[in-house]
Amino acid sequence: MADSNDRIHLDTNEARAATTTGRVRWILGASLLLVIVIFAAILLS
């Protein structure tokens, strides 16, 4: 049996079982910019 105090070392991709591409960051940034533009248009009209 394994000791409960033993540490398991995994790199980021092994722990997530996937890779990160950064697409979510671009989508959130574009969405935020779009919302700011829409609110500015509503405020100025």
Side-chain angles (χ1 to χ4, degrees):
M1 280 186 22
D3 186 18
S4 63
N5 292 329
D6 287 342
R7 293 184 179 203
I8 299 173
H9 296 281
L10 299 174
D11 66 11
T12 304
N13 288 338
E14 288 178 346
R16 286 189 191 138
T19 58
T20 55
T21 59
R23 287 186 201 148
V24 173
R25 186 179 314 142
W26 284 103
I27 292 171
L28 288 174
S31 299
L32 179 63
L33 182 63
L34 184 62
V35 166
I36 291 171
V37 168
I38 290 171
F39 281 164
I42 291 171
L43 183 66
L44 295 174
S45 64

